[in-house]
Amino acid sequence: MTRHIQLAPDVEWIQLTTTEQDWQEADPALLKTMLVQMQIIRSFEEAVLELASEGLVHGPAHSSIGQEGGAVGSIVNLRSGDGVNGSHRGHHQFLAKGLAHLSAAMNGRMEPEAAVGAEVQAFLQRTLAEILGLDQGFSHGRGGSMHLQWLDAGALGTNAIVGGGVPLAAGNAWAQKHSTASASGMDLTVSYFGDGAINIGSVLETMNLAAAWKLPLCFFVENNLYAVSTHVSEVTGEGRLSGRGPGFGIRSWRVDGMDPLAVHLAMEQATEHMRSGGGPAVIEAEVYRYFHQNGPFPGSAFGYRSKEEEKSWRDRDPIQRMATELKKLGHLDDVAFLQMQEQVSAACNLAVSELTETDPQSKAGKRRIRPELWPDPSFVDVGIRGDLSELEGARTEEELTFKGGLREGKFVDAVAEVVQARMAADPSIVVMGEDVHRLKGGTNGATRGLVDAHPDRVLGTPISENAFAGLAGGMAMDGRFKPVVEFMYADFMWVAGDQIFNQIARARHMFGGTGEVPLVLRSKIAMGTGYGSQHSMDPAGVFATSAGWRIVAPSTPFDYVGLMNAALALKDPVVVLEHVDLYTTTGQLPVDDFDYQIAFGKAAIRRRGDSLTVLTYGAMVHPTLVAVTETEIDAEVVDLRWLDRASIDWEAIGASIMKTNNVLIVEQGAQGTSYGGWLSDEIQRRYFDHLDYPIQRVTGGEASPSISKVLERASYAGVSEVAAKLLTIKNDQGL
């Protein structure tokens, strides 16, 4: 007969509710503060919906009306050094964090009699300006309603991708844990998301990672029951969403989000747990959004919920609950409550009036945005990347003119040795990736010796590229640490696509152009190694389409050292492309000087010639030189080294094209994701008048490489394919 043993999680999962005694013992100043802050959020959101109904909010207006209790209850006692981020419906969290920051000088408390001072008024206007897309907003109007950031207040940035901000929050929490803590414990981070995000891979991956690394991160689930119109019961078998936490070993709380005090008490317990080093927490607050997903109409207007359901939740309104309890305790009366509401409403109306005016072209007296407040259109591309001031004064070298000692060494040794040198000199550098701390340097030896020298800064990750790439992005945006991330294979970028392209690449520009994202991604290319279609891509062409990323592709050990040093000095995200074919090749390495850079944006002329310009990079440089020698064509071979739009050496490319009037672009990988497609288009635009012949290209085939050795070789370009193209050019053009 089988035995059944009931299993239970190793951590607490608590349903917390308040009693009359909790309200009696609560600090009246705390309760009043929460009332004021919830009313500010409510009145602000009502003003936003009114503007949206007039067509003055360009894009969505995701109202948080009804959900104020969850935000204020959890944020009211947070410190300015604590971080919060959220999702597309994040006005209430942003406002709550800003109000907590501004009230810090008053011990974090606000009085109903003086609800809105000058600083709060300015904050409301600046927030509204951002939502309306105006220049005086926090991000000069670029972020709008869904991307609100105020780093001084600890508001890390709300996020339009459902669940997209959660891995970033983990990175912020990692930086907090590994920075000097105050006497009252380490700072912490709260990531807010809803019932939709709880089932998204990035959230679950991050829960696992945060638990494994005991990060001070609170996963705050605002369960408002609906995605857009789909009820939570339709999409999950466990409607108690906080139940996800114990599955990862995370202490979890479930509370009524319409009871702000319950939320606050749960958060106080979770905060004590996190600040003391106990690791992450999950809080699920059951809340209700009074309106539809977007705009000023209730959900019942769209038929997916009833008016009776909506009324039942409105009857539990968090503001009314707080006011009722304060009156019951003798700390508030009807007159004071009404006066506070009027004061807050007037403040929101003032913010609106400062940003709008009567439209002189409208006979109905409609409002319009004040025209002088829009951003200048010339600002559209400002701040996609940094201004490179961080590279000023850097020592740059080239192998041919290097005066230090050189030795023969492997390409893969250059990888390990330059990162070792930088980690020894810069304690902010952190290396992470799958197996980077094992196997004597990871799967290829590229991190050899690092974990022995820096055991706390070489992090072996779970197989969770979305989570650890996003965590690295959050670390970089925090600024205290500089992550170096290894993707074991370049193809894995698709798994982390949201974090790589939606988050890391766009963060600086999206939030106004001033934030820095110092992150290095080492991406291994394994074409020709028999790993097949999903482990063999060259990602250069994909990264080249993503504004924000810089791309370097070393072809020699000496260049690797200089390019990695430049990448680590930059305040932008940089992808360093490393081909497995190069790891075992040898070349000149410095004996002990690993401190130079390859000059920013400088290509290398590997062979001079007058008849044809050949542009290539990385592992195709040497095969191209071999093919040129075999075919005896008078070609100039340019090793691009810097590949992205903002870093590529147009001066060297242009000079060569104007000399040869003839271009061949050589790359190894498949046509579909090729880098050469973008490059040939740009050359056509820039140098059309200097071209005597159509731009020629060498690429792999249409299909990705296969496992079969024969089919794999047929799928990518090598010496023979380059030589064949060179001979065709030579014969057709009579070179």
Side-chain angles (χ1 to χ4, degrees), residues 86-167:
S87 65
H88 57 284
R89 192 181 315 284
H91 299 175
H92 52 325
Q93 298 135 12
F94 180 79
L95 288 168
K97 193 62 167 73
L99 292 170
H101 171 67
L102 293 174
S103 65
M106 301 172 287
N107 295 317
R109 299 296 175 251
M110 300 175 72
E111 291 291 337
E113 298 81 12
V116 183
E119 285 188 322
V120 172
Q121 183 68 55
F123 172 52
L124 294 176
Q125 181 172 324
R126 194 176 179 193
T127 304
L128 183 59
E130 184 59 40
I131 291 170
L132 294 176
L134 305 182
D135 187 54
Q136 63 181 258
F138 284 92
S139 299
H140 303 285
R142 279 187 182 153
S145 173
M146 296 188 289
H147 307 107
L148 295 168
Q149 183 188 71
W150 186 17
L151 294 179
D152 291 344
L156 307 176
T158 54
N159 204 294
I161 303 299
V162 174
V166 178

Side-chain angles (χ1 to χ4, degrees), residues 388-432:
L388 303 176
S389 57
E390 62 268 32
L391 299 185
E392 291 178 4
R395 176 169 67 93
T396 61
E397 299 282 0
E398 293 289 346
E399 182 178 333
L400 292 177
T401 56
F402 184 66
K403 293 184 171 53
L406 291 171
R407 59 186 168 87
E408 190 80 4
K410 290 183 179 180
F411 189 98
V412 73
D413 294 336
V415 179
E417 291 177 31
V418 66
V419 176
Q420 177 75 272
R422 293 283 63 76
M423 292 185 78
D426 183 352
S428 73
I429 295 175
V430 177
V431 172
M432 69 179 72

Side-chain angles (χ1 to χ4, degrees), residues 467-551:
F468 71 75
L471 181 141
M475 289 170 59
M477 293 173 206
D478 171 82
R480 284 174 281 189
F481 293 91
K482 185 178 300 180
V484 179
V485 180
E486 177 183 303
F487 276 3
M488 192 178 290
Y489 293 92
D491 309 65
F492 297 173
M493 73 174 187
W494 298 119
V495 180
D498 174 50
Q499 297 302 316
I500 295 297
F501 301 117
N502 268 331
Q503 311 297 341
I504 294 168
R506 295 176 178 172
R508 182 196 282 265
H509 181 265
M510 185 169 65
F511 290 121
T514 57
E516 298 172 345
V517 191
L519 179 150
V520 172
L521 171 61
R522 294 180 42 246
S523 188
K524 186 171 74 178
I525 302 169
M527 210 172 305
T529 61
Y531 273 77
S533 296
Q534 297 172 334
H535 285 66
S536 303
M537 78 173 294
D538 175 354
V542 178
F543 276 93
T545 67
S546 181
W549 279 99
R550 298 189 188 273
I551 311 167

Side-chain angles (χ1 to χ4, degrees), residues 25-230:
E25 294 178 352
D27 179 6
L30 168 68
L31 300 181
K32 290 179 183 179
T33 298
M34 289 198 285
L35 177 67
V36 170
Q37 293 185 358
M38 286 191 294
Q39 187 61 57
I40 289 173
I41 294 168
R42 174 71 58 86
S43 297
F44 181 89
E45 290 286 68
E46 289 171 344
V48 170
L49 286 183
E50 184 178 354
L51 292 168
S53 69
E54 298 176 32
L56 297 180
V57 178
H58 184 62
H62 298 109
S63 167
S64 62
I65 292 176
Q67 301 185 193
E68 301 92 346
V72 171
S74 58
I75 291 174
V76 64
N77 271 4
L78 292 185
R79 311 190 291 224
S80 294
D82 295 326
V84 306
N85 74 2
S87 65
H88 57 284
R89 192 181 315 284
H91 299 175
H92 52 325
Q93 298 135 12
F94 180 79
L95 288 168
K97 193 62 167 73
L99 292 170
H101 171 67
L102 293 174
S103 65
M106 301 172 287
N107 295 317
R109 299 296 175 251
M110 300 175 72
E111 291 291 337
E113 298 81 12
V116 183
E119 285 188 322
V120 172
Q121 183 68 55
F123 172 52
L124 294 176
Q125 181 172 324
R126 194 176 179 193
T127 304
L128 183 59
E130 184 59 40
I131 291 170
L132 294 176
L134 305 182
D135 187 54
Q136 63 181 258
F138 284 92
S139 299
H140 303 285
R142 279 187 182 153
S145 173
M146 296 188 289
H147 307 107
L148 295 168
Q149 183 188 71
W150 186 17
L151 294 179
D152 291 344
L156 307 176
T158 54
N159 204 294
I161 303 299
V162 174
V166 178
L168 301 174
N172 198 75
W174 194 96
Q176 290 168 323
K177 178 176 180 177
H178 293 85
S179 300
T180 303
S182 68
S184 56
M186 69 182 75
D187 287 337
L188 57 86
T189 301
V190 186
S191 189
Y192 293 86
F193 53 92
D195 46 282
I198 193 68
N199 299 313
I200 284 178
S202 60
V203 174
L204 300 173
E205 287 183 27
T206 305
M207 283 184 175
N208 178 66
L209 189 55
W213 292 356
K214 290 190 176 297
L215 302 181
L217 174 61
C218 179
F219 298 88
F220 197 101
V221 189
E222 289 186 309
N223 184 1
N224 67 16
L225 302 181
Y226 292 92
V228 175
S229 62
T230 303

Side-chain angles (χ1 to χ4, degrees), residues 595-618:
D595 298 331
Y596 62 88
Q597 296 178 16
I598 295 296
F600 174 82
K602 292 298 181 184
I605 308 300
R606 300 301 185 190
R607 183 187 189 280
R608 298 286 178 181
D610 295 318
S611 298
L612 176 66
T613 297
V614 183
L615 305 176
T616 190
Y617 60 90

